Amino acid sequence: GQNIDQPTEMTATEGAIVQINCTYQTSGFNGLFWYQQHAGEAPTFLSYNVLDGLEEKGRFSSFLSRSKGYSYLLLKELQMKDSASYLCAVRRAAGNKLTFGGGTRVLVKP
Amino acid sequence: KAGVTQTPRYLIKTRGQQVTLSCSPISGHRSVSWYQQTPGQGLQFLFEYFSETQRNKGNFPGRFSGRQFSNSRSEMNVSTLELGDSALYLCASGSNTEAFFGQGTRLTVV
């Protein structure tokens, strides 16, 4: 199956932490990507996970559990500029065909 | 290192016309993928080219086609444009562990 599920929208306060979950069908998994997309702009690459565990990059971290078909993106010390859509994408086979979830719109409030 | 470059940034075409979009990948990347993004359907994979060969294909009609040149630059063509083809067309260049998007071409069909 191709279903990749993410919450539609989340709201958080400036300075707080938000966790965006992504679940996917586990068959044929070959990597998971997270992107940030501001309105009217192209997606920006945030992270890539292919092995289980946590990858940390500054204020952003991404976690993967292959057996559970589950990933999350953790945004710490939220800033107003983090208000954007966050897209989870799965690569299943060789090559670079990515299947995207619908995206999670995060709104950061003062 | 230059990023992914797409031209043109904006296009307005009439139903029935055809259009060609161009993408220059990051230097050294041989894989170029194309995506269509609309508010209703989200980001959907069109096709991927690697070393001048189509490696993956999405579920779009034959009116959508592409090619890749020996310098890795890629073009996509849409013939007999329909109103529903209005979208942001994104190209991504990548390796096994990353995929970066260009700024996109916003196509409006009237």
Side-chain angles (χ1 to χ4, degrees):
Chain A
Q2 297 294 316
N3 282 3
I4 298 171
D5 294 316
Q6 313 177 224
T8 305
E9 196 168 292
M10 302 180 76
T11 302
T13 305
E14 195 175 11
I17 297 173
V18 71
Q19 177 175 314
I20 305 167
N21 296 327
C22 171
T23 58
Y24 62 91
Q25 300 289 330
T26 58
S27 59
F29 177 80
N30 189 26
L32 187 142
F33 296 74
W34 282 97
Y35 288 87
Q36 178 192 60
Q37 187 175 27
H38 286 100
E41 298 182 11
T44 303
F45 172 74
L46 292 177
S47 67
Y48 169 75
N49 296 71
V50 68
L51 300 176
D52 290 352
L54 188 68
E55 295 276 344
E56 296 187 81
K57 270 189 190 179
R59 295 188 299 114
F60 292 4
S61 303
S62 57
F63 171 83
L64 177 68
S65 168
R66 288 173 297 171
S67 62
K68 294 180 180 175
Y70 168 69
S71 174
Y72 67 72
L73 179 70
L74 196 68
L75 284 60
K76 293 180 275 192
E77 301 168 21
L78 279 171
Q79 302 175 8
M80 298 300 290
K81 68 178 181 180
D82 297 330
S83 291
S85 286
Y86 292 85
L87 302 163
C88 167
V90 171
R91 181 174 61 197
R92 297 206 176 276
N96 283 315
K97 173 181 178 178
L98 301 183
T99 302
F100 282 83
T104 300
R105 194 163 66 180
V106 171
L107 177 61
V108 180
K109 295 185 172 179
Chain B
K1 196 172 185 180
V4 181
T5 304
Q6 290 188 246
T7 57
R9 291 290 308 277
Y10 302 93
L11 264 179
I12 300 176
K13 289 286 188 178
T14 305
R15 269 181 302 176
Q17 287 187 311
Q18 71 158 12
V19 67
T20 299
L21 313 181
S22 178
C23 173
S24 292
I26 292 170
S27 177
H29 284 177
R30 291 191 290 163
S31 165
V32 175
S33 301
W34 289 89
Y35 295 83
Q36 181 196 64
Q37 187 173 34
T38 59
Q41 299 297 318
L43 257 168
Q44 292 189 288
F45 175 81
L46 281 156
F47 28 66
E48 181 205 2
Y49 286 87
F50 182 86
S51 293
E52 302 179 65
T53 301
Q54 189 179 85
R55 183 158 71 171
N56 281 294
K57 189 176 188 309
N59 297 322
F60 279 80
R63 300 185 297 108
F64 292 81
S65 62
R67 59 178 175 168
Q68 187 179 33
F69 302 95
S70 58
N71 62 357
S72 293
R73 189 176 72 85
S74 177
E75 289 181 346
M76 68 162 279
N77 183 277
V78 188
S79 62
T80 320
L81 283 165
E82 301 177 359
L83 295 179
D85 297 334
S86 294
L88 179 65
Y89 289 88
L90 292 158
C91 116
S93 96
S95 62
N96 282 344
T97 59
E98 57 192 14
F100 298 98
F101 283 91
Q103 288 303 299
T105 295
R106 187 163 296 281
L107 172 66
T108 302
V109 182
V110 298

